[in-house]
Amino acid sequence: MTTSSVYARRRAAVARALKAAGGGIAVLPTAPERARNRDSDFPYRHDSYFYYLTGFSEPEAWLVISSTGHSTLLCRPKNLEREIWDGIRLGPKAAPAELGVDAARSVDELDKLMPELLANQPAVWFPFATHEGLALQVDGWLNQVRARVRMGAECPQSQHDLCKLLDEMRLFKDAHEVKILKRAGLISAQAHVRAMQTSALMLQAGQDAREYHLEAELLHEFRRHGAQFPAYTSIVAAGANACVLHYRAGDAPLKNGELCLIDAGCELDGYASDITRTFPVNGRFTPAQRRLYEMVLDAQKAAIAATRPGKRFMDPHDAAVKVLAQGMLACGLLNPKKHGTVDDVIASGAYRQFYMHRTGHWMGMDVHDCGDYTEPGAKPRSELDALGQPVMRRPSRVLRAGMVLTIEPGLYVRPAKDVPREFWHIGIRIEDDALVTAKGCELLTRGVPVEAAEIEALMGD
Ligand code: GLY
Ligand code: MN
Ligand code: MN
């Protein structure tokens, strides 16, 4: 299958869905360019939905799909003057052969073309609440259609959120996507290996190692293998910084005897990867660090075992929480006299003092990818929310082959009166990306070791 036919197949699936819903037109812009400061833009990143259906990464582009199956791309016209400054534009003439769309026009014609395409259509589909001003723009086009009703034009009677339809498609990764996700996972794993080894080498050489030194190694390895961007801002958190969940790589020193938590992954050809490893900066865990590390690793193993078809999205989380709660009681983070049994700790939520996030999220084009976390069509049932209050919720999503999610339990120990001092300031997270397969799951990010002994061996080499 050629690359352009991958996108053609997805566009055909959208057209079929529009037809099944009564027919209409779907319209989808890519992302805008954004200024960073005077004359400087942020690096351009296409819109994920748009790229999913086109494979086209130029800015100022739109896709229109009709329920008849006809697709039109609107893109920047060729312009020698602009291309000298900003680079080659594909242009509407070359777009059909290059991208497999049925027709292409200049984006300058958008406001003229859209009322024509929308006239006499029963419905319009576009992404709700994702592109600033888009709903107003669609209103403007519909107003122009309405202005022509006396000439016999009919105005679409309904508007639908295109995201809902595309989210469901994107939740299940096809072979083309899995191949890229695997390579992204491999590159990111190599970047983590490089950062760990750099940490050990710098410490052994007595150098002034900082968080940014390791961040630089990550970025070097991503780019060296052709990944275009980090999938998100890298977290390189030395020592106590690991207890700040959204910490970024800063300039804190890597201190002998402390841990470093790195949460980083590259984006390759539009697909993310998301890995966390926590390691001793000098290559040797202390007994206290190792004890907590093993606890998180056991939690991750339990969560991985619960990641298979037929299980629900929340099952890996529940499995991880159980292991962590047991561990917290066993090592004195929680006092059994005060907090009771494992079941009590889970019911009261006492474990949240040290583990306050979910164990995973969907991953794909976006690191926190789209997709319903509850089972579509299932009946809501009574559950307890994060504060222990009853709420009506649909049960969590049943896992199916082709879904990709992260498995990332952690433990974050802030100083407190009744918390053993040896654990203070230790923050640990272990995160891998899992593809749900026919029988279980495949971890895409195990090119970097996760067992404590393997990490020590890698850093000692
Ligand atoms: N790196 C973001 C996350 O783990 O969710
Ligand atoms: Mn994650
Ligand atoms: Mn992460």
Side-chain angles (χ1 to χ4, degrees):
M1 181 165 302
T2 63
T3 306
S4 79
S5 64
V6 167
Y7 303 107
R9 205 184 46 200
R10 295 180 191 153
R11 289 192 297 268
V14 170
R16 279 196 303 277
L18 300 187
K19 193 168 171 198
I25 291 274
V27 54
L28 177 62
T30 193
E33 293 172 290
R34 298 215 186 268
R36 183 176 185 274
N37 55 356
R38 188 189 302 260
D39 287 347
S40 256
D41 284 348
F42 282 105
Y44 182 69
R45 166 53 158 82
H46 54 254
D47 174 80
S48 295
Y49 292 116
F50 179 85
Y51 189 79
Y52 182 73
L53 295 177
T54 60
F56 187 53
S57 55
E58 283 187 24
E60 295 185 77
W62 294 68
L63 177 69
V64 183
I65 301 177
S66 149
S67 50
T68 60
H70 191 272
S71 58
T72 307
L73 183 92
L74 293 106
C75 61
R76 297 179 305 183
K78 296 292 282 179
N79 179 327
L80 185 59
E81 164 74 7
R82 284 314 325 157
E83 289 180 56
I84 287 171
W85 289 92
D86 302 330
I88 290 279
R89 298 175 170 191
L90 178 63
K93 200 163 154 213
E98 181 69 21
L99 304 174
V101 290
D102 298 305
R105 306 276 283 265
S106 162
V107 69
D108 299 336
E109 297 176 50
L110 178 74
D111 288 329
K112 180 174 166 293
L113 184 66
M114 282 316 300
E116 289 169 19
L117 294 178
L118 286 168
N120 306 313
Q121 292 289 340
V124 55
W125 301 59
F126 60 95
F128 286 6
T130 49
H131 298 262
E132 211 180 314
L134 178 60
L136 271 179
Q137 210 167 354
V138 173
D139 274 355
W141 299 330
L142 294 178
N143 263 329
Q144 289 189 47
V145 179
R146 211 168 278 132
R148 296 211 300 261
V149 287
R150 281 196 299 277
M151 272 84 89
E154 282 194 42
C155 196
Q157 293 298 297
S158 55
Q159 303 185 8
H160 304 278
D161 186 7
L162 185 59
C163 295
K164 192 91 185 139
L165 197 165
L166 295 177
D167 287 352
E168 193 60 18
M169 288 173 65
R170 281 176 53 189
L171 182 55
F172 295 88
K173 276 62 183 177
D174 59 32
H176 172 81
E177 299 182 286
V178 167
K179 196 166 154 203
I180 305 173
L181 285 164
K182 283 186 175 174
R183 184 154 162 70
L186 200 65
I187 295 171
S188 296
Q190 286 174 3
H192 278 257
V193 166
R194 185 181 176 114
M196 282 181 193
Q197 291 186 320
T198 299
S199 174
L201 284 173
M202 291 186 78
L203 269 274
Q204 277 155 25
Q207 291 169 352
D208 177 24
R210 303 278 171 154
E211 292 167 339
Y212 58 73
H213 287 122
L214 303 194
E215 185 189 22
E217 298 299 323
L218 297 165
L219 296 175
H220 179 96
E221 197 69 12
F222 292 168
R223 206 62 192 107
R224 190 167 92 81
H225 293 289
Q228 291 83 357
F229 309 103
Y232 50 93
T233 308
S234 305
I235 297 172
V236 180
N241 291 337
C243 294
V244 181
L245 295 182
H246 287 168
Y247 186 79
R248 306 274 162 92
D251 61 3
L254 310 182
K255 291 196 196 126
N256 224 332
E258 289 191 341
L259 294 174
C260 180
L261 181 156
I262 295 186
D263 183 345
C266 69
E267 178 177 303
L268 176 73
D269 299 342
Y271 286 82
S273 53
D274 187 6
I275 304 181
T276 308
R277 288 292 182 269
T278 311
F279 56 91
V281 294
N282 63 9
R284 302 292 300 176
F285 285 95
T286 66
Q289 291 166 351
R290 198 176 181 118
R291 179 137 197 218
L292 297 193
Y293 187 87
E294 299 289 357
M295 195 195 299
V296 177
L297 187 56
D298 285 346
Q300 201 209 27
K301 286 177 183 170
I304 291 166
T307 303
R308 57 175 194 268
K311 287 283 187 184
R312 291 191 181 272
F313 174 78
M314 284 302 285
D315 287 337
H317 177 71
D318 294 342
V321 163
K322 188 161 185 191
V323 172
L324 291 172
Q326 269 162 352
M328 289 173 199
L329 288 167
C331 77
L333 282 175
L334 294 176
N335 185 344
K337 287 202 186 100
K338 181 170 169 201
H339 294 286
T341 64
V342 172
D343 288 343
D344 297 332
V345 165
I346 293 171
S348 67
Y351 66 87
R352 289 201 193 98
Q353 182 180 350
F354 307 107
Y355 182 47
M356 58 297 280
H357 60 75
R358 287 269 175 93
T359 304
H361 49 81
W362 305 132
M363 201 200 68
M365 299 187 119
D366 301 324
V367 64
H368 290 183
D369 210 29
C370 56
D372 210 333
Y373 283 93
T374 58
E375 187 63 20
K379 253 185 40 203
R381 62 186 186 190
S382 178
E383 284 184 9
L384 297 182
D385 69 8
L387 300 172
Q389 302 299 315
V391 282
M392 292 300 283
R393 263 199 207 124
R394 285 187 303 182
S396 84
R397 188 84 195 226
V398 177
L399 299 179
R400 303 268 178 234
M403 293 174 165
V404 173
L405 65 158
T406 64
I407 306 177
E408 49 178 308
L411 206 53
Y412 312 91
V413 186
R414 288 170 178 277
K417 191 164 52 49
D418 46 1
V419 170
R421 222 168 234 278
E422 58 177 337
F423 299 135
W424 283 16
H425 300 301
I426 293 180
I428 295 168
R429 181 164 62 256
I430 305 172
E431 173 174 31
D432 284 285
D433 305 340
L435 166 69
V436 181
T437 57
K439 291 221 174 87
C441 71
E442 179 183 349
L443 300 177
L444 310 180
T445 42
R446 281 295 170 89
V448 51
V450 71
E451 294 289 339
E454 287 172 1
I455 289 176
E456 289 186 340
L458 176 84
M459 295 181 72
D461 276 348

